[in-house]
Amino acid sequence: MPEGPLVRKFHHLISPFVGQQVVKTGGSSKKLQPAGLQSLWLQDTQVHGKKLFLRFDPDEEMEAPGSSPPPEPPQKEAQKEGAVDPKQAGEPSGQKTPDGSSQSAELNPPGEDESECLEGDAPAGDAGRWLRVSFGLFGSVWVNEFSRAKKANKRGDWRDPSPRLVLYFGGGGFLAFYNCQMSWSSSPVVTPACDILSEKFHRGQALEALGQAQPVCYTLLDQRYFSGLGNIIKNEVLYRAGIHPLSLGSALSAPRREALVDHVVEFSTAWLQGKFQGRPQHTQVYQKEQCPAGHQVMKEAFGPPGMRIE
């Protein structure tokens, strides 16, 4: 699934739509009922780790949390006139995310712990205002453009992937969300202390977690301590630190654990900066083999850079 740097790029693309009203909706999501978002205003967007949060309100004015009753439950029966088939709508060209994919299966990389560090209950009066977006293995967000099939499926069909949600705004643009799960929550639920790309990332907490008597590959994927970190970052930082993925954290010296956390922050930050500058991030040479635990682990190899990530 998209890791922290890519989800932050999605957040960057969505930000210009803050303050605009949703005038039309579409998408294949049945649980969310896209028509329930029609006429709401996008008031805020936040990103925490691998999760994206969008705040919707019924009024144009920005309001403090809990200062007004929440909007009508988006799960209400969809009105036919509110839903639009994106295939029948105009599709103007525009900016897209560099990770658009034709895949649509909702899969998570094996071995990733999707637990989160919670920050307590949100005010009851603010319930249902935040749309939480969790991306699947090939999740993406497209702006003013729809994803197109890059190859034929097993049946030989060149069928374009179907967006889960399409939001058309009063300003004339639209957003298309692919391969993601969406649900309503009272507030963003992940604290910056565990977000590897946050200025408030808690190094001490991360170092303490790495000292546990378990393989470091498990700890790095634990979103309670390294929110936003996935298999790409995990494999790359372990390679750079010269640490085998199955090494027990309790057997590593304090300097080696500190170096590992440094690599996590440095590589993630460089990847994010590369996205904003329009250049791909190159990893060190990198090969995989299946280990008994079912994880994808690195095989020692030397040579020129062997993997390019957009």
Side-chain angles (χ1 to χ4, degrees):
M1 66 174 59
E3 301 182 28
L6 183 53
V7 178
R8 284 183 177 261
K9 180 64 179 294
F10 296 162
H11 170 262
H12 175 74
L13 295 175
I14 294 172
S15 294
F17 292 89
V18 171
Q20 296 190 39
Q21 185 181 32
V22 178
V23 296
K24 196 162 54 177
T25 62
S28 62
S29 176
K30 296 180 179 179
K31 295 182 178 179
L32 181 68
Q33 297 293 1
L37 288 162
Q38 188 169 336
S39 78
L40 296 183
W41 294 78
L42 177 61
Q43 301 286 40
D44 193 11
T45 175
Q46 295 185 22
V47 58
H48 294 284
K50 301 179 186 179
K51 303 293 189 300
L52 189 64
F53 295 89
L54 309 177
R55 174 171 172 139
F56 291 92
D57 283 311
D59 300 322
E60 179 179 2
E61 297 180 359
M62 298 289 184
E63 299 174 347
S67 60
S68 65
E72 290 296 319
Q75 293 81 0
K76 272 191 172 182
E77 184 67 21
Q79 300 177 2
K80 292 183 179 180
E81 62 270 20
V84 175
D85 184 356
K87 300 293 182 181
Q88 300 175 355
E91 301 176 7
S93 60
Q95 188 179 19
K96 67 178 181 180
T97 67
D99 192 39
S101 170
S102 61
Q103 301 288 340
S104 61
E106 290 191 357
L107 300 174
N108 292 334
E112 291 208 16
D113 182 357
E114 286 301 312
S115 57
E116 300 167 340
C117 45
L118 303 180
E119 199 172 34
D121 297 330
D126 206 31
R129 289 176 180 260
W130 290 89
L131 180 64
R132 166 177 160 165
V133 183
S134 302
F135 294 96
L137 185 59
F138 298 100
S140 61
V141 177
W142 290 59
V143 180
N144 299 334
E145 189 175 6
F146 292 104
S147 175
R148 298 300 186 188
K150 296 181 179 179
K151 61 181 181 180
N153 58 25
K154 294 181 179 179
R155 298 181 180 179
D157 297 330
W158 284 78
R159 183 177 300 176
D160 293 331
S162 176
R164 296 296 168 87
L165 176 65
V166 184
L167 299 176
Y168 297 87
F169 292 89
F174 69 89
L175 296 169
F177 297 79
Y178 290 87
N179 186 211
C180 57
Q181 295 180 343
M182 294 165 286
S183 61
W184 291 94
S185 62
S186 55
S187 69
V189 294
V190 182
T191 62
C194 62
D195 191 330
I196 58 176
L197 286 169
S198 171
E199 295 180 353
K200 299 180 180 179
F201 176 60
H202 199 303
R203 286 180 56 90
Q205 176 180 281
L207 288 169
E208 183 178 354
L210 283 173
Q212 300 177 75
Q214 68 174 3
V216 288
C217 64
Y218 288 91
T219 306
L220 286 173
L221 291 176
D222 192 331
Q223 302 298 292
R224 294 175 299 176
Y225 310 110
F226 297 94
S227 182
L229 191 151
N231 280 320
I232 292 177
I233 298 176
K234 177 204 70 176
N235 290 341
E236 179 65 14
V237 300
L238 286 172
Y239 179 87
R240 294 187 177 194
I243 299 174
H244 192 280
L246 298 180
S247 300
L248 296 181
S250 57
L252 297 177
S253 65
R256 296 198 74 187
R257 294 198 299 271
E258 292 175 357
L260 185 56
V261 173
D262 288 338
H263 284 300
V264 166
V265 175
E266 291 170 4
F267 176 74
S268 303
T269 302
W271 186 1
L272 178 61
Q273 291 175 347
K275 287 192 172 298
F276 288 128
Q277 296 171 4
R279 56 179 173 80
Q281 176 72 12
H282 289 271
T283 66
Q284 301 293 326
V285 65
Y286 165 123
Q287 295 180 6
K288 296 178 180 178
E289 65 180 3
Q290 194 73 24
C291 72
H295 283 275
Q296 295 290 328
V297 300
M298 297 175 301
K299 181 179 180 181
E300 276 194 2
F302 299 90
M307 183 179 180
R308 167 175 163 163
I309 52 179
E310 298 296 339

